[in-house]
């Protein structure tokens, strides 16, 4: 077991994938000699060569289009989108080609393409450098979308994504790159039957990371750490919060969420993206359909606001914080909350 930053864990996972399969290639802007703007690919071009860790032109549609051709020819390209807001020039390639080729060819063409996307705020970036575009892609059939929240998952799930024959968008919370955690590099990312010393979850599985009995709190990516903090803070007031790390945004693993809500009767969903049409809306609607007779209160969403991501100095007012998540827990529990003033109570 090694203490490792989130960013180093992704680097280690990429390194292992490159070692295990000569068909794995990394592509992106400044990922080679520079090691990427966040240094996630630092040292990989030096060790594996410029033919496998490829510095590309500043053209996202070109990066993804080239990767499609490589995937068709049996390679497993891993593309880095330098910042979340830069993914839009590649949007047409991703939703019109990458997501549909397997279906269009009746399964004859696989698309083993991984797209790494640093996303979310918290680093004081300018416009186009802090966004949460994940819902665009969860709405697109044919794409797998995952978001990691800790170094161990970052290490294992990047390898699982690369080995997957489906296209995977791998969303990395950039504010967590320097967060440290234990990483067991000896774990086999594909030993998902639990035959080893520690169970390894498939990348499509959600995980209960803190047990509780009063409220179910679901989060993903950058919000998971805050959700855990909220559970600890709520415990001081006698409220037991069960925290679930969603991990996979498409497909969603509803099993653990349903089981939890049947126990607690209450659901809170927290994410940084805006509220309208977000993952919180899908989770709230689906759990209401599946667990209606178990719910003691309406599901609550704690999200960013429905406006363009604000300039760096204002992002602390946009991104949900501990107080806003606890306020959401209070709303679900029927306690006094900020919503009372909205309703005129």
């Amino acid at each position: 077991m090694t203490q490792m930053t989130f960013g180093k864990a992704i680097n280690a996972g990429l390194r292992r994938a490159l070692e295990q399969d000569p068909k794995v290639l990394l592509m992106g802007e400044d990922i080679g000699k520079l090691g990427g703007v966040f240094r996630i690919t630092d040292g990989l071009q030096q060790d594996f060569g410029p033919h496998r860790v490829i510095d590309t032109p500043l053209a996202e549609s070109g990066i993804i289009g080239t990767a499609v051709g490589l995937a068709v020819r049996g390679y497993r390209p891993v593309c880095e989108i330098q910042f979340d807001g830069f993914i839009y020039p590649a949007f047409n390639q991703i939703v019109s080609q990458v997501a549909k080729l397997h279906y269009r060819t009746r399964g004859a063409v696989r698309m083993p393409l991984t797209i790494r996307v640093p996303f979310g705020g918290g680093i004081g970036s300018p416009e186009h450098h802090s966004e949460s575009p994940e819902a665009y892609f969860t709405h697109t059939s044919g794409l797998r979308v995952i978001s990691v929240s800790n170094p161990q998952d970052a290490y294992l799930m990047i390898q699982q994504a690369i080995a997957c024959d489906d296209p995977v968008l791998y969303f990395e919370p950039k504010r967590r790159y320097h967060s440290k955690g234990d990483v067991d590099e000896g774990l086999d990312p594909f030993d998902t039957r639990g035959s080893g010393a520690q169970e390894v979850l498939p990348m499509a599985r959600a995980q209960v990371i803190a047990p509780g009995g009063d409220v179910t709190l679901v989060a993903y990516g950058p919000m998971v750490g805050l959700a855990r903090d909220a559970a600890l803070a709520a415990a001081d007031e006698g409220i037991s919060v069960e925290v679930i790390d969603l991990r996979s945004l498409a497909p969603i693993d509803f099993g653990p969420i349903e089981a939890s809500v049947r126990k607690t009767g209450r659901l809170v969903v927290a994410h940084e993206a805006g509220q309208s049409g977000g993952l919180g809306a899908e989770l709230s609607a689906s759990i209401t359909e599946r667990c209606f007779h178990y719910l003691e209160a309406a599901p609550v969403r704690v999200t960013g606001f429905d406006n363009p991501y604000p300039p760096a100095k204002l992002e602390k007012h946009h991104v949900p914080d501990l107080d806003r998540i606890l306020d959401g827990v209070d709303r679900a529990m029927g306690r006094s909350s900020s919503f009372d003033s909205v309703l005129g109570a």
Side-chain angles (χ1 to χ4, degrees), residues 176-205:
R176 303 295 183 196
Y177 277 146
H178 299 292
S179 300
K180 288 188 176 181
D182 288 332
V183 176
D184 186 349
E185 295 182 78
L187 289 177
D188 181 352
F190 311 109
D191 182 18
T192 55
R193 296 184 179 182
S195 57
Q198 179 179 334
E199 180 185 11
V200 174
L201 291 178
M203 69 178 182
R205 286 269 300 277

Side-chain angles (χ1 to χ4, degrees), residues 43-97:
L44 296 180
Q45 188 182 77
Q46 179 180 344
D47 293 342
F48 294 94
H51 61 294
R52 295 193 65 195
V53 182
I54 304 164
D55 281 315
T56 67
L58 304 184
E60 286 75 16
S61 61
I63 295 169
I64 302 302
T66 303
V68 168
L70 286 164
V72 168
R73 294 302 299 268
Y75 288 91
R76 293 185 176 274
V78 183
C79 300
E80 177 181 289
I81 302 296
Q82 197 171 73
F83 283 90
D84 36 28
F86 298 171
I87 200 168
Y88 303 118
F91 190 82
N92 181 56
Q93 294 279 6
I94 295 169
V95 303
S96 297
Q97 305 299 329

Side-chain angles (χ1 to χ4, degrees), residues 289-330:
E289 289 177 343
R290 294 162 183 250
C291 302
F292 181 78
H293 295 290
Y294 293 89
L295 287 168
E296 301 290 339
V300 174
R301 291 172 288 170
V302 182
T303 71
F305 298 109
D306 290 335
N307 53 254
Y309 204 98
K313 290 183 179 180
L314 295 176
E315 70 177 2
K316 65 181 180 181
H317 303 292
H318 176 81
V319 176
D321 58 11
L322 181 63
D323 288 339
R324 284 177 60 192
I325 294 177
L326 288 172
D327 186 72
V329 170
D330 286 339

Side-chain angles (χ1 to χ4, degrees), residues 135-291:
Y136 291 122
F137 302 103
T138 62
H139 189 68
T140 303
S141 299
L143 299 175
R144 292 179 179 267
V145 183
I146 60 178
S147 182
V148 288
S149 67
N150 61 80
Q152 182 69 78
D153 275 355
Y155 172 74
L156 294 171
M157 291 171 70
I158 189 62
Q159 296 177 70
Q160 292 171 340
I162 294 169
C164 183
D165 284 335
D166 299 326
V168 180
L169 277 91
Y170 179 95
F171 280 92
E172 307 165 6
K174 64 173 82 83
R175 76 169 75 176
R176 303 295 183 196
Y177 277 146
H178 299 292
S179 300
K180 288 188 176 181
D182 288 332
V183 176
D184 186 349
E185 295 182 78
L187 289 177
D188 181 352
F190 311 109
D191 182 18
T192 55
R193 296 184 179 182
S195 57
Q198 179 179 334
E199 180 185 11
V200 174
L201 291 178
M203 69 178 182
R205 286 269 300 277
Q207 184 176 27
V208 176
I209 60 171
D214 295 328
V215 182
T216 300
L217 174 55
V218 179
Y220 60 86
M223 289 288 108
V224 172
L226 273 176
R228 194 193 294 269
D229 292 343
L232 293 172
D236 292 339
E237 298 185 11
I239 300 173
S240 176
V241 177
E242 182 150 288
V243 179
I244 298 178
D245 182 352
L246 196 58
R247 300 173 84 245
S248 176
L249 314 187
I252 293 174
D253 180 16
F254 282 106
I257 306 170
E258 288 181 50
S260 181
V261 170
R262 289 192 178 106
K263 176 176 62 175
T264 66
R266 295 174 173 83
L267 173 67
V268 178
V269 185
H271 59 67
E272 186 173 321
Q275 184 176 96
S276 298
L279 267 293
E282 174 60 35
L283 285 163
S284 297
S286 294
I287 291 300
T288 299
E289 289 177 343
R290 294 162 183 250
C291 302

Side-chain angles (χ1 to χ4, degrees), residues 30-44:
D30 299 319
I31 69 164
K33 291 182 180 179
L34 182 66
V37 293
F38 295 106
R39 304 299 187 267
I40 303 303
T41 53
D42 192 35
L44 296 180

